[in-house]
């Protein structure tokens, strides 16, 4: 029996057309390049901003996807809607690196060596650096307090914890990662896997 993966993608109510094309591409290519896995792709573009802060709205969208689709899956790949490049076998790579924990790739702003989500990637309680070497650790698998943007996690994590209604820190991921560590999961970034996040001004959008 194949291992089942829920791909959870919270989207903006008015998502950029190119990002929608990228999401459609992941939907076509991930099943082809990750033969040992079966995929369910789920998005949510509901506008939660009336009742939440920006981070709270993202968290609400993630929770809405999990509420509807989590059952029956072994893993969840949570990802931003504005990832524009990634290896098509990303699920296989992340799973092999840390099958029992939470694993993120390196996330760069497209066309640069600038690390994107330094609010979501926390090491020793501090934000990582935008520029090399990024981390204090020199290991290929970097142990972190928190990861963001895109990561693979066992589905049972979300049966024990969910995204906070209103995240307390700079990221919507921190409470989930605290829950993962409480369950004894290793939270890591794999230096050998790299994805590109959109340089939003190139698409006429502001950084958030």
């Amino acid at each position: 029996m194949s291992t089942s993966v829920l791909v959870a993608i919270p989207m903006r109510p008015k998502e950029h057309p190119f990002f929608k094309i990228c999401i459609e591409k992941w939907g076509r290519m991930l099943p082809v390049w990750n033969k040992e896995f079966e995929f369910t792709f789920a998005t949510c573009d509901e506008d939660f901003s009336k009742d939440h802060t920006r981070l709270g709205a993202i968290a609400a969208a993630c929770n809405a996807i999990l509420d509807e689709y989590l059952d029956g899956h072994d893993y969840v790949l949570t990802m931003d809607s504005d990832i524009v490049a990634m290896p098509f076998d990303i699920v296989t790579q992340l799973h092999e690196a840390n099958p029992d924990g939470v694993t993120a790739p390196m996330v760069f702003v497209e066309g640069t060596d600038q690390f994107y989500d330094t609010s979501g990637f926390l090491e020793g309680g501090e934000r990582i650096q935008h520029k090399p070497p990024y981390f204090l650790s020199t290991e290929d698998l970097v142990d972190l307090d928190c990861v963001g943007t895109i990561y693979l996690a066992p589905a049972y994590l979300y049966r024990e914890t969910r995204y906070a209604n209103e995240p307390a820190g700079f990221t919507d991921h921190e409470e989930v990662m605290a829950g993962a560590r409480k369950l004894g999961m290793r939270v890591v970034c794999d230096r050998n896997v790299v994805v590109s996040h959109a340089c939003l001004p190139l698409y006429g959008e502001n950084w958030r």
Side-chain angles (χ1 to χ4, degrees), residues 75 94-103 152-154 156 180 183-187:
Y75 287 88
L94 298 181
H95 180 264
E96 288 179 350
N98 182 31
D100 300 318
V102 181
T103 314
L152 184 71
Y156 77 83
L183 291 170
M185 294 182 184
R186 190 180 179 192
V187 178

Side-chain angles (χ1 to χ4, degrees), residues 122-196:
L122 306 177
E123 183 180 21
E126 301 291 336
R127 297 167 66 168
I128 67 166
Q129 299 299 308
H130 281 295
K131 293 294 185 177
Y134 310 112
F135 308 107
L136 300 175
S137 171
T138 59
E139 300 295 324
D140 281 349
L141 275 185
V142 182
D143 285 286
L144 297 173
D145 303 313
C146 184
V147 294
T149 306
I150 175 171
Y151 48 86
L152 184 71
Y156 77 83
L157 167 62
Y158 301 101
R159 299 185 180 103
E160 300 294 330
T161 189
R162 290 292 175 91
Y163 295 90
N165 184 55
E166 283 297 341
F170 293 108
T171 178
D172 48 302
H173 310 285
E174 198 164 358
E175 287 84 0
V176 166
M177 298 303 151
R181 298 197 313 275
K182 186 176 181 180
L183 291 170
M185 294 182 184
R186 190 180 179 192
V187 178
V188 302
C189 178
D190 188 345
R191 290 180 184 269
N192 297 311
V193 187
V194 178
V195 308
S196 296

Side-chain angles (χ1 to χ4, degrees), residues 34-85:
N34 302 272
K35 296 290 189 181
E36 296 183 2
F37 300 88
E38 293 181 351
F39 292 89
T40 301
F41 288 83
T43 62
C44 178
D45 62 0
E46 184 175 344
D47 187 356
F48 293 98
S49 63
K50 294 180 181 179
D51 301 315
H52 295 276
T53 62
R54 183 182 70 84
L55 291 180
I58 298 171
C62 289
N63 285 333
I65 293 172
L66 294 170
D67 288 344
E68 184 169 356
Y69 294 100
L70 180 63
D71 287 351
H73 292 92
D74 302 304
Y75 287 88
V76 179
L77 180 70
T78 303
M79 61 180 290
D80 286 6
S81 61
D82 40 14
I83 299 294
V84 295

